[in-house]
Amino acid sequence: MARRSVLPPVLDVAVLRARLDRAREAAAGTGLVIAPGSDLRYLIGRPGGSLERLTTLVIPADGAPALVVPKLEAPGFNGLEELGVDVVTWVDGVDPYNLVAERLSGAERVAVSDFTPALHVFGFRDALPKAEQVLAGPIVRELRMRKDAAEIEALRKAGAAIDRVHARVGEWLRPGRTEAEVGADIAAAMVEEGHTAADFVIVGSGPNGASPHHALSDRVIEAGDVVVVDIGGPVAEGYNSDSTRTYAVGTPRDADVAATYAVLQEAQQAAVDAVRPGATAESIDAAARDVIAAAGFGDYFIHRTGHGIGLDVHEEPYIVAGNDLPLEEGMAFSVEPGIYQAGRWGARIEDIVVVTADGVESMNNQPHDLVVLT
């Protein structure tokens, strides 16, 4: 019988109790149904597992929160009573959706986690036929977007760990090796340097670097290649790193690399310099995009400038045109413009930054220059 492991809480009871209280306040009379995953970990310190058997946190407008969980999974959630969370167990043959409905009796509106499996969404619908059901994302993201001191310290730890890996890339990146071989060494080093796992490893060499989400292949790295290395993963606290640097294996074979990369470096710095409380998310995107467009590379910057980061690698706020969200102290996100020339080469520079009371702090401190490996 397979069982998904459940991590222990890493935050103290007072912090988690306060988060549960804030979630109820933010819901403003709407019942919340929180599925296993990062939202659950944020609220009770443990992510749980999303299986065919229902596990869900129920936060009613009034009354104690409750974790509805299969009895065979309940030992992984010992101690929730300290948070004021009731543990309601069920066994095979019992309808768990009715247990959720009992906790939300009379609710006119219920907000369900964005990534709840459809299997369970339909179960909630049938058990709560009179309640309007909406997404919980807009409620929970208001809590998670603003990191507290402990969360920021965890992001600093993750940033320092990934910086140490980038500082070692020259140990593995050389002609004659495949992207996959280099990626395997990087993944192992990420764990050595403090991550619990390598969540993703991108080694995009030569023309593969022009594909932002290339990942790895059996392409053999050649002298003169420009190589994009984008790596990240969680540390023990659950918070993630995500950092990109661009390397050249010897002297780049293309004559335009130095000038083009200088534009990218200017754009990334312009965006970081624009970060401050009150600036909008879209203005940070524009700060990078305007530099790249002015140099004639606008069509080669094909994604948003950044994404929020925390317990998820991608979360709110998104640094993209059309997002007029004013930045606030504690918001954390990537700044990662890129220039991608299909069939030739690509480049990206990425740091994680946090909005401070009067500006910005970078979680990554490796140099931004094109790293030429000799």
Side-chain angles (χ1 to χ4, degrees):
M1 179 184 294
R3 181 180 182 277
R4 186 168 299 186
S5 62
V6 180
L7 298 177
V10 296
L11 296 174
D12 63 37
V13 169
V15 169
L16 295 173
R17 275 184 172 270
R19 289 180 179 178
L20 287 165
D21 289 342
R22 286 169 50 222
R24 190 197 303 275
E25 292 169 6
T30 297
L32 288 172
V33 179
I34 305 298
S38 57
D39 286 345
L40 190 67
R41 182 166 186 170
Y42 180 81
L43 291 169
I44 66 171
R46 288 166 257 196
S50 181
L51 303 170
E52 76 278 8
R53 294 184 177 96
L54 177 71
T55 295
T56 195
L57 176 68
V58 184
I59 305 177
D62 297 299
L67 185 79
V68 175
V69 60
K71 192 168 186 177
L72 78 166
E73 301 285 351
F77 294 94
N78 287 338
L80 287 190
E81 293 81 2
E82 296 180 56
L83 306 181
V85 176
D86 296 337
V87 176
V88 179
T89 63
W90 62 279
V91 296
D92 292 344
V94 171
D95 185 346
Y97 306 105
N98 285 334
L99 298 176
V100 173
E102 288 172 8
R103 290 281 170 162
L104 295 172
S105 177
E108 296 181 356
R109 198 164 185 260
V110 175
V112 180
S113 287
D114 291 14
F115 298 105
T116 304
L119 169 71
H120 300 319
V121 171
F122 277 75
F124 298 144
R125 185 195 64 181
D126 293 342
L128 294 158
K130 296 182 179 180
E132 177 191 8
Q133 295 189 28
V134 298
L135 291 174
I139 297 170
V140 179
R141 72 185 179 209
E142 289 300 312
L143 309 179
R144 291 181 51 182
M145 271 198 301
R146 299 160 189 82
K147 271 56 179 181
D148 62 26
E151 292 178 287
I152 293 170
E153 185 55 37
L155 287 170
R156 287 193 191 102
K157 176 180 175 180
I162 209 67
D163 280 356
R164 291 193 294 271
V165 179
H166 271 297
R168 296 179 57 191
V169 166
E171 297 177 26
W172 316 297
L173 183 57
R174 57 183 178 270
R177 306 196 75 208
T178 67
E179 294 173 351
E181 288 170 337
V182 174
D185 287 334
I186 290 174
M190 289 174 65
V191 176
E192 291 172 10
E193 297 294 350
H195 295 82
T196 59
D199 189 61
F200 59 91
V201 176
I202 293 172
V203 179
S205 64
N208 290 339
S211 174
H213 286 171
H214 164 70
L216 303 169
S217 78
D218 290 330
R219 183 183 185 275
V220 176
I221 294 163
E222 302 173 0
D225 277 350
V226 175
V227 184
V228 177
V229 176
D230 182 354
I231 50 180
V235 292
E237 292 82 355
Y239 289 79
N240 286 276
S241 65
D242 185 1
S243 178
T244 308
R245 293 294 184 265
T246 301
Y247 300 82
V249 183
T251 301
R253 73 172 61 87
D254 294 297
D256 62 338
V257 170
T260 304
Y261 189 84
V263 172
L264 179 62
Q265 198 168 348
E266 180 185 351
Q268 203 269 349
Q269 190 61 56
V272 172
D273 290 344
V275 176
R276 64 185 183 279
T280 61
E282 64 183 355
S283 73
I284 310 307
D285 180 86
R289 200 168 300 277
D290 289 351
V291 171
I292 292 172
F297 296 107
D299 290 342
Y300 301 105
F301 181 14
I302 56 177
H303 55 72
R304 65 195 173 205
T305 293
H307 56 81
I309 194 167
L311 290 171
D312 290 316
V313 177
H314 286 191
E315 59 182 54
E316 299 277 356
Y318 292 102
I319 309 305
V320 64
N323 185 3
D324 62 358
L325 175 76
L327 301 180
E328 297 180 28
E329 183 178 0
M331 290 183 176
F333 50 86
S334 67
V335 178
E336 52 175 306
I339 296 175
Y340 310 98
Q341 301 186 67
R344 298 186 65 222
W345 59 278
R348 181 165 63 254
I349 304 169
E350 177 183 18
D351 292 327
I352 300 303
V353 302
V354 175
V355 183
T356 65
D358 57 1
V360 62
E361 177 186 353
S362 178
M363 303 293 101
N364 299 108
N365 295 292
Q366 279 293 101
H368 293 162
D369 295 335
L370 179 68
V371 180
V372 180
L373 303 173
T374 57

